[in-house]
Amino acid sequence: MADASSAPESREDRTHLHVRLSDGRSSIYDLITEYLQEAGKAPDWYWRTAGRLEGSEAENLEELLSSAFEAGAFIAHEHPEDLKFDWLTEEQCERERRTEERSDQREDARKERSSMSHYA
């Protein structure tokens, strides 16, 4: 017989991981570019391909996802001070998203995303 402490978590209680840059002035694009250069990969090709990716271009998608995964491991190893890890519930995540949409961070995020466009 299961006791109350072993009851499965409800959907509202489950958390998921958010990985963020600890400094709002840092750029994920710069860190990924650093990884690509260290790995001997072509950052220009990567960013141009990411900027043009539409539909299911399987041959490029696999390389992009693989490189992105490798870049995440590189950043976590080489720049752990630049990352923060938050475990959030769906409710916390939604509340944070709404707050971000209403704040100036939304504009900053838009600018950061558009900084990638010079590679396209």
Side-chain angles (χ1 to χ4, degrees), residues 12-62:
E12 294 80 28
D13 294 336
R14 282 185 278 187
T15 59
H16 60 274
L17 180 62
H18 281 222
V19 179
R20 298 184 175 90
L21 296 176
S22 57
D23 183 352
R25 295 169 301 204
S26 295
S27 169
I28 190 67
Y29 300 107
D30 292 342
L31 293 171
I32 291 173
T33 298
E34 178 185 336
Y35 156 73
L36 292 166
Q37 291 169 334
E38 291 282 327
K41 298 184 179 193
D44 288 344
W45 173 87
Y46 184 88
W47 293 120
R48 278 194 312 272
T49 302
R52 288 189 312 236
L53 194 60
E54 294 180 15
S56 58
E57 298 178 27
E59 69 221 26
N60 292 330
L61 183 60
E62 185 174 338

Side-chain angles (χ1 to χ4, degrees), residues 49-92:
T49 302
R52 288 189 312 236
L53 194 60
E54 294 180 15
S56 58
E57 298 178 27
E59 69 221 26
N60 292 330
L61 183 60
E62 185 174 338
E63 177 63 25
L64 288 171
L65 291 174
S66 177
S67 291
F69 186 78
E70 292 167 356
F74 170 83
I75 293 165
H77 185 266
E78 296 296 321
H79 299 280
E81 70 283 356
D82 290 334
L83 299 176
K84 69 177 188 175
F85 302 90
D86 296 324
W87 287 94
L88 301 176
T89 64
E90 287 297 322
E91 181 181 315
Q92 292 167 322

